[in-house]
Amino acid sequence: MIAATRHCLNCHTQLHGRTDKKFCNDYCRNTHHNSLNSDGNSCMRNINHCLRKNRRILENLLQGSRPIARFSKQVLQNKGFSFQYFTHQQISRKGNPVYFCYDYGYRFLEKEQVLISGDRKEN
């Protein structure tokens, strides 16, 4: 019985060796899997970019030794902060939602004010 000729799933060169081999080398294997996942990766990459940008804005606003500061919502928006992106949410002792961008938290106050905290403690 003659075995069927097998070809690399990426570059289509003829394969030799193991019968379950799908790729001729690591480069072809990585290229093939990266092309399969590229659509999902770009979406995740864009969201992670927004999250890192939000964290950087919060960090810059809290420069110095202030662990907590109050800013207007407009200040954050002017710096490019996207309020729809946050890593997680907690409820403070007073029942208010606190949003986090990794290790920086913020919550909304009255009169379009935002309270920013530089740690994970409840605000």
Side-chain angles (χ1 to χ4, degrees), residues 21 39 41:
K21 193 172 184 180
D39 291 340
N41 287 343

Side-chain angles (χ1 to χ4, degrees), residues 4 6 13 24 28 40 42 54-55 60 65-66 74 88 95 107:
R6 296 170 293 113
T13 59
C24 57
C28 281
S42 66
N54 280 353
R55 184 191 181 281
N60 288 338
S65 61
R66 298 182 298 180
Q74 191 63 46
H88 62 286
R107 71 178 172 96

Side-chain angles (χ1 to χ4, degrees), residues 58-95:
L58 295 174
E59 181 181 35
N60 288 338
L61 288 172
L62 285 178
Q63 289 273 320
S65 61
R66 298 182 298 180
I68 295 175
R70 182 185 299 221
F71 293 92
S72 73
K73 186 177 176 181
Q74 191 63 46
V75 168
L76 275 80
Q77 288 174 332
N78 289 347
K79 293 184 176 291
F81 194 87
S82 299
F83 287 99
Q84 69 260 31
Y85 295 108
F86 52 91
T87 56
H88 62 286
Q89 175 182 344
Q90 294 179 355
I91 302 299
S92 71
R93 282 177 257 152
K94 295 181 181 180

Side-chain angles (χ1 to χ4, degrees), residues 32-67:
H32 177 75
H33 289 293
N34 286 342
S35 68
L36 291 178
N37 296 323
S38 65
D39 291 340
N41 287 343
S42 66
C43 177
M44 289 172 33
R45 187 175 28 256
N46 292 339
I47 291 171
N48 284 331
H49 173 74
C50 291
L51 289 170
R52 284 192 309 270
K53 181 177 180 181
N54 280 353
R55 184 191 181 281
R56 199 169 33 253
I57 291 169
L58 295 174
E59 181 181 35
N60 288 338
L61 288 172
L62 285 178
Q63 289 273 320
S65 61
R66 298 182 298 180

Side-chain angles (χ1 to χ4, degrees), residues 68 90 92-93 98 100 103 105 117-123:
I68 295 175
Q90 294 179 355
S92 71
R93 282 177 257 152
V98 181
F100 287 88
D103 53 340
S117 173
D119 54 28
R120 291 186 171 209
K121 293 180 183 174
E122 292 181 349
N123 293 332

